[in-house]
Amino acid sequence: MDLNKKDMKEMKKADSSKDKSKEKSKASTKKIAIILSLLILVIGLGAGLSLYIMNREATDGSYAYIYQNNELIKVVDLTNVKEDYEFRIDSEDGGYNIVKVTTDGSIGIIEASCPDHVCMNTGFIRNGLVPITCLPNELVIEVKNSKEDSNLEYDGVAQ
Amino acid sequence: MLLVLLVFAMNLTACTNTKTSSSSATESASLSELHFDTIMSISLYGSDKAALTEIINEAYDEVDRLESIFSAQLETSELYSINQGIAKGQTSFVISKELTEVIDYALKVNEESNGALDITIGNLINLWGIGTDHEKLPTDDEIAAALVGTGCEYISLDKETNTLTVSSENVQLDLGAIAKGYAADLVKELILAKDSSVVGLLDFGGNIMTIGSKPDGSNWKVGITDPLDSTSVYGGVSVSDLCVVTSGNYERYFEENGVRYHHILDAASGYPADKGIISSSIIGASSIECDALSTACYCLGVEDALALINSLDGVECVLIDNDGNYYTSDGIGDYNFTKAE
């Protein structure tokens, strides 16, 4: 079967449009690859950054975790405390504890409604050796990730 | 390039969840809760974080169950109800298997320690009220009255029938010196029954129980609180699958006229034990044994405590006196006791 000029022209036209669409799809694949690369780079950097922050906290930071009724209610940064400060924690049944944070990175309870004052007797803590516990008000303060802890060789402390 | 970045990102994400370890214990779970009037922590290492968390929750359920038996304060506890019965003149009680085991153990240590551990002095403990809203320095007469009709000779146990017989209305049972130890033994058993490959550390208000070795195969390093500065460590021992229990004068106390009155009462004098020891730590396999002996040794004084521990198999001790000097039993070398600098 012979092809006439018109048909040939149309075929050429179709070929060139195929080429153009091929080029277009090549360009869009490249674009997707770049976007994906950037996306993974961002994820990678993000993960790296969060890992860096976590490690930095584990070695340099010192934080007091305050629990009430077995639930974490507050995290206090004990690093670079510019001035001593106090805050009050109220319990559901009307009890309270006044917590003091000092410039040397210690935390302690200085006033409490509990009758035994075991929490106040514990004194100020700056490492994870001993938590402060106020049983009547169901309050626990634990220090984690302190510089001193990172040097500690103990897995637990008998008391 | 894409592949490299992908692997890099995946590694970073994985590092945040997985502990580096040479054993199969690559995951960990830890939870602290208030039970038995103290803070308890359970930290476990294994291969499945969700399974470890489940085991910890079941462990705390078991602690709750045991507290409902042994607590002298909980008005719903089995022990509370027995004490109420004794005060009203009831003499015979059919008790739970758990209570039988603990009272039986307390009677054994009472005999071994020449009465230093006495679970019948609930009235004396209530009179002092140390750590409660009615703590006070009682008079000599009040103390003498609280000691009348107390002592382990007034109780007997039939283990076959789980029957407790009490022949004095002045007996009030207090198992505070050993119940936490018993709970740690049972919780360890429960954990290993759920998964025998799990390792970990239980801290029941300062009673330390280790399960196996550390995830990297080395021994656990357990510190002993410095009784002269309770926010510091006095020294440490190296243990595997053992417990370390300490009794000290810094745990619960009140001060009056410059004198510290702590919660470890001497059943002989009726006053806080004052035989020269301010911290007594016992190392051994059974937590109830260590718990009972730490209180008994505290009340005995250095010489008698060392004699007692050296006469027993499988337990060792570190005792600290009023001046901060330490004394150890003959076999402490096995646990590499080292004084902190």
Side-chain angles (χ1 to χ4, degrees):
Chain A
M1 189 168 64
D2 287 336
L3 293 168
N4 60 29
K5 274 185 184 175
K6 202 179 169 189
D7 290 337
M8 292 285 280
K9 252 185 185 174
E10 274 175 7
M11 276 177 70
K12 266 187 179 176
K13 214 175 172 181
D15 278 351
S16 89
S17 92
K18 258 186 192 172
D19 285 347
K20 270 182 188 171
S21 89
K22 256 187 189 172
E23 273 170 26
K24 256 188 184 172
S25 95
K26 234 183 180 176
S28 79
T29 312
K30 218 173 173 182
K31 228 177 183 176
I32 289 169
I34 290 168
I35 290 169
L36 265 175
S37 305
L38 284 171
L39 199 69
I40 289 170
L41 189 67
V42 168
I43 292 170
L45 286 174
L49 190 68
S50 61
L51 196 69
Y52 167 74
I53 290 167
M54 280 171 61
N55 282 341
R56 188 170 61 88
E57 282 181 358
T59 53
D60 295 342
S62 180
Y63 297 88
Y65 290 71
I66 304 180
Y67 300 85
Q68 194 176 43
N69 301 319
N70 290 330
E71 276 179 24
L72 182 66
I73 56 162
K74 194 177 176 76
V75 179
V76 178
D77 188 350
L78 299 176
T79 43
N80 303 318
V81 178
K82 301 267 188 307
E83 254 180 30
D84 291 1
Y85 66 94
E86 297 168 12
F87 56 90
R88 179 184 165 115
I89 298 172
D90 290 299
S91 64
E92 279 172 10
D93 57 3
Y96 71 92
N97 298 78
I98 295 181
V99 180
K100 185 171 182 176
V101 180
T102 62
T103 51
D104 68 349
S106 300
I107 186 165
I109 292 177
I110 54 164
E111 196 183 316
S113 61
C114 58
D116 53 24
H117 290 166
V118 168
C119 55
M120 291 163 65
N121 286 339
T122 307
F124 282 76
I125 60 169
R126 49 185 298 143
N127 56 40
L129 285 181
V130 182
I132 296 173
T133 310
C134 182
L135 290 170
N137 294 334
E138 296 202 52
L139 191 80
V140 176
I141 303 177
E142 283 182 309
V143 174
K144 293 178 184 173
N145 297 340
S146 81
K147 262 185 182 174
E148 289 179 33
D149 279 353
S150 64
N151 295 326
L152 272 178
E153 45 185 329
Y154 301 106
D155 302 299
V157 179
Q159 44 179 313
Chain B
M1 169 73 172
L2 270 173
L3 193 65
V4 171
L5 284 168
L6 197 62
V7 169
F8 176 65
M10 279 171 69
N11 276 340
L12 286 173
T13 316
C15 282
T16 61
N17 292 324
T18 311
K19 275 175 75 77
T20 311
S21 170
S22 58
S23 73
S24 62
T26 52
E27 298 287 337
S28 67
S30 183
L31 187 62
S32 299
E33 288 191 5
L34 291 169
H35 296 274
F36 274 96
D37 277 348
T38 189
I39 183 167
M40 295 186 163
S41 293
I42 300 178
S43 304
L44 299 181
Y45 302 86
S47 53
D48 181 343
K49 195 178 179 77
L52 293 174
T53 306
E54 173 89 27
I55 292 173
I56 291 177
N57 287 329
E58 287 181 39
Y60 279 125
D61 289 344
E62 175 70 350
V63 170
D64 264 342
R65 185 182 74 84
L66 295 170
E67 192 173 7
S68 74
I69 296 173
F70 298 118
S71 172
Q73 287 79 38
L74 270 181
E75 294 185 9
T76 51
S77 80
E78 184 181 358
L79 188 68
Y80 188 91
S81 139
I82 290 168
N83 279 335
Q84 293 290 103
I86 296 171
K88 286 176 189 157
Q90 190 179 337
T91 55
S92 181
F93 303 85
V94 176
I95 59 177
S96 62
K97 177 178 73 70
E98 290 86 349
L99 208 47
T100 302
E101 284 175 4
V102 171
I103 293 175
D104 182 47
Y105 206 88
L107 294 177
K108 174 179 167 275
V109 177
N110 176 267
E111 204 174 312
E112 283 173 353
S113 66
N114 224 356
L117 178 81
D118 191 336
I119 57 167
T120 68
I121 55 168
N123 279 336
L124 182 73
I125 293 169
N126 286 335
L127 175 67
W128 281 89
I130 296 171
T132 70
D133 56 358
H134 61 275
E135 62 188 10
K136 64 157 189 177
L137 177 57
T139 64
D140 288 349
D141 288 346
E142 286 174 322
I143 289 171
L147 285 174
V148 172
T150 65
C152 289
E153 64 272 25
Y154 292 104
I155 58 174
S156 60
L157 203 57
D158 183 339
K159 287 191 275 178
E160 298 292 312
T161 58
N162 291 339
T163 305
L164 172 74
T165 308
V166 184
S167 58
S168 164
E169 286 181 23
N170 290 335
V171 163
Q172 285 289 283
L173 299 172
D174 190 297
L175 302 172
I178 51 174
K180 263 191 299 170
Y182 180 74
D185 287 331
L186 254 56
V187 165
K188 180 177 179 175
E189 254 175 49
L190 179 144
I191 290 168
L192 290 174
K194 296 280 170 195
D195 183 348
S196 59
S197 68
V198 162
V199 297
L201 188 140
L202 316 179
D203 180 346
F204 282 13
N207 285 12
I208 305 293
M209 166 67 93
T210 63
I211 303 174
S213 303
K214 284 170 73 167
D216 64 4
S218 65
N219 283 349
W220 302 92
K221 195 85 195 279
V222 179
I224 293 168
T225 300
D226 185 344
L228 298 173
D229 172 10
S230 62
T231 61
S232 297
V233 165
Y234 183 89
V237 289
S238 175
V239 296
S240 167
D241 212 32
L242 294 173
C243 48
V244 184
V245 178
T246 298
S247 292
N249 71 346
Y250 47 85
E251 293 171 273
R252 287 181 192 185
Y253 64 90
F254 69 87
E255 284 178 350
E256 200 166 302
N257 300 324
V259 180
R260 177 179 293 194
Y261 298 96
H262 61 80
H263 75 298
I264 306 168
L265 299 177
D266 183 340
S269 69
Y271 280 86
D274 187 20
K275 294 270 177 64
I277 292 179
I278 55 172
S279 164
S280 156
S281 299
I282 311 292
I283 301 112
S286 153
S287 187
I288 187 173
E289 182 176 26
C290 293
D291 210 1
L293 288 174
S294 70
T295 306
C297 286
Y298 192 104
C299 296
L300 282 173
V302 173
E303 203 177 318
D304 289 346
L306 285 177
L308 172 63
I309 299 302
N310 285 331
S311 74
L312 300 171
D313 288 332
V315 284
E316 300 299 337
C317 71
V318 178
L319 312 171
I320 303 170
D321 71 13
N322 291 322
D323 298 321
N325 304 309
Y326 73 89
Y327 308 84
T328 56
S329 53
D330 295 345
I332 197 69
D334 296 347
Y335 307 123
N336 194 26
F337 171 71
T338 318
K339 193 172 181 300
E341 287 170 12

